[in-house]
Structure formats: structure tokens, C-alpha cells
Amino acid sequence: MQGGAILAAGFLSNAVGIRVSSKLQLGLMALLTALLALAVGVAAPYARVENFVPFAPHGYGAVGGAASLLFFCFAGWEAVTHLAGEFRNPERDLKRATWLTLVVVGVIYIGLVSACVAVLGTGLAGSSVPVAELLAKGLGPAAAPVTAVAAAVLTFGPLNTFVAGAAKLGSRLASDGVLPRALARGAGPGEVPTASLGALAVMASISFALAAAGLLSMEFQIGAASACFTAVTAFGLAAGVVLLRRGTAAWYGVIVAAGVMLVVLAFSGWALLVPAGLAVAALLAGRYVARSVSTRSLPIAPRAAAQRDATREHVL
């Protein structure tokens, strides 16, 4: 019930408009950063160096499997690229936002993970809410309301961003002819992508209902989503190898990052079938769109001939 309410709130926030949604998001992220910093700070006196020994108790192979699943937690900051058209100066502001996000997310995640291991030790594996336990260590009974606020922000903040980015991406793909034109409404800067947002709400509701009914486990959905995020990141980096100028520091950095991401992707296991299936479907859809566009651009006589050829191939 609570999950459904948070999901609905995310769509309602974006239905109001990107300006309201972005201001809400900025406030939530500032609050989230403060809460996580508080959790690390109040639990720091309880840290023990011996909790880091052994460093990989289940072997380094387990690190790869964990990295594959946990990429679901790290992914998401790149969703802002789908909102590039909303920036006043995308070339300048998007670059700044990307670097700032990388630094902030990196520092917060490394600090939080280090604190969890140092404070909770072997108990971390059995903890369902490590942040709550960190807060409880330092704040005692007062940690309960703080934990509730942290849980709400942790859940709603990323959801709000993903909904905004995915809805705008869908409308712009539709305006480019990749998706049905009916979804293109609201693709312009500052506009609400109502049709794309509605389609996304329907798909999210179906996914949520399947998980709630026990027909499609949340573990599988998280694993599949993580595999998709990892695949997009890996192949996006691979594209950078081609697009960036050879021999530069950025080019070498992208090669290293792409290699790391491909290794992480390999640990996705059966979940790899999901991004592979989506990739095949995207290629087939792209060919269909390209064929439709080329057919519409032909004069009437050649167009009729192309239609006859297509019919003949279908019959054979």
C-alpha cells in the first residue's frame, strides 16, 4: 500500500510540471545527503577496524555478483541526460551537473558503505535496513522518526527522477519517429509529456501489481533492471571509445570504464536475457521505422512497387 502511494506521488509530481518536480527533487536530495551524513557521523564512534578483516569473506567472485546487483543502487544519476533540453545552457550546465553528481554520489556511497561495514561488522549481512541501525547506534530511541524520513526520501527521490527522465525520453523518441507519434505530446522544453507519462504509469502499475500478487518477484525485477542499467552504461561507454578523440585522457578513461562495466555485466547471469531481448526488439523496431520512412518518401509508383514486394515476401 505504501509503495503504491509513493509510486502515485512520483507520477503526480511530474504531471504538475518539470519546474515543480525539479524544485522538489533538489530539496529532497539536500535532505537525503544531510540524513546520510548524519547516519555516518553519529555511528562513527562505534566503528571497528577489525570488521574489515577478512576483506572478502566469500571470495572475490562474490564481489562481482554483488556489484552486478548493487549497480541498481548506483545507476540513475545519468537519467538527468534525458532532461538536457530543460537546462538553460545544456552544454555548460549538464557537464557541471554530471561532475557534481559523480563526486557527491561517490563520496556518499563510499562513506556509507565503509560506515556500515566498520560499525555493523558481520551483522551487516543480516540487516534489512543498515542506515536505520547506524542511526540507532548514535541516536538511540530518537532514531525512529529520522529513519522514517530517511526511508521516504530514499524511496521517493530516485523514483521522482526516473519518472521525469523516462517520460521525457519516451516523448522525444516518439517525436523522432522511434516510438508511436501519439507519445510525442509534451516533448518540448518545459512541457509535460502527458502521453508518455501516462504510458509509463500503466507499465509501472502492471509491474507493481505483478510483484504484489507474487507472480513476478521483486528480486527478479531488480536484477533485470540492474542488468539493463549496466548494459546501457557499458555500451554507452563503448560508444565513447568511438566518439572521443583517440589518445586523450578521456578516451583511455572510457576504455577502462567500459571494460569494468562489461565485467560487471557478465555477473548478471540469467538477467542478461532481459536487456538482450530488449535490444533485439529495439533493432527490429528501428528497421521497421526506417523501412516505413523510406517507403513514405518514395513517389507513388515506386511506393506501390515496394508494397507489392513486401506483400509477396510475406506470402512466400
Side-chain angles (χ1 to χ4, degrees):
M1 189 67 179
Q2 294 176 343
I6 293 175
L7 185 65
F11 282 98
L12 287 174
S13 169
N14 284 279
V16 174
I18 189 65
R19 294 188 183 278
V20 174
S21 178
S22 62
K23 290 179 181 179
L24 175 62
Q25 188 67 23
L26 181 60
L28 288 174
M29 290 304 98
L31 179 59
L32 175 59
T33 302
L35 288 172
L36 293 180
L38 175 65
V40 173
V42 297
Y46 301 91
R48 298 291 180 270
V49 177
E50 54 269 23
N51 286 335
F52 288 95
V53 180
F55 187 74
H58 301 287
Y60 286 96
V63 175
S68 174
L69 182 61
L70 290 176
F71 192 77
F72 177 84
C73 302
F74 183 79
W77 59 268
E78 75 286 352
V80 72
T81 58
H82 306 320
L83 302 172
E86 308 298 328
F87 287 92
R88 292 178 181 174
N89 188 340
E91 185 176 355
R92 180 197 65 192
D93 297 338
L94 187 58
K95 186 182 297 184
R96 290 179 178 178
T98 301
W99 277 109
L100 181 61
T101 302
L102 281 170
V103 172
V104 172
V105 171
V107 170
I108 290 176
Y109 272 44
I110 292 173
L112 185 61
V113 170
S114 299
C116 287
V117 174
V119 175
L120 302 180
T122 56
L124 178 60
S127 174
S128 57
V129 190
V131 175
E133 294 193 28
L134 290 181
L135 289 168
K137 284 280 187 182
L139 299 180
V146 179
T147 301
V149 174
V153 176
L154 278 167
T155 306
F156 182 77
L159 172 67
N160 190 48
T161 301
F162 272 117
V163 169
K168 186 62 76 171
L169 175 63
S171 63
R172 286 179 178 160
L173 286 174
S175 66
D176 290 339
V178 178
L179 293 178
R181 293 288 301 178
L183 299 176
R185 190 182 313 143
E191 298 178 358
V192 178
T194 51
S196 178
L197 189 64
L200 186 63
V202 171
M203 291 187 289
S205 299
I206 292 174
S207 174
F208 183 82
L210 290 174
L215 300 177
L216 193 61
S217 71
M218 189 60 69
E219 181 180 358
F220 172 79
Q221 292 196 48
I222 291 176
S226 183
C228 290
F229 290 143
T230 310
V232 169
T233 303
F235 287 99
L237 289 167
V241 176
V242 178
L243 296 173
L244 293 176
R245 191 172 60 186
R246 291 177 177 272
T248 61
W251 186 72
Y252 286 113
V254 164
I255 291 176
V256 174
V260 172
M261 292 313 307
L262 287 173
V263 171
V264 174
L265 182 62
F267 282 94
S268 297
W270 287 103
L272 278 173
L273 293 175
V274 176
L278 291 173
V280 171
L283 287 173
L284 293 176
R287 289 183 178 180
Y288 173 78
V289 170
R291 188 181 305 168
S292 299
V293 171
S294 63
T295 301
R296 286 197 298 268
S297 63
L298 290 173
I300 296 178
R303 187 186 307 172
Q307 291 174 346
R308 287 197 303 270
D309 293 339
T311 304
R312 185 181 299 112
E313 290 178 4
H314 177 71
V315 172
L316 292 177

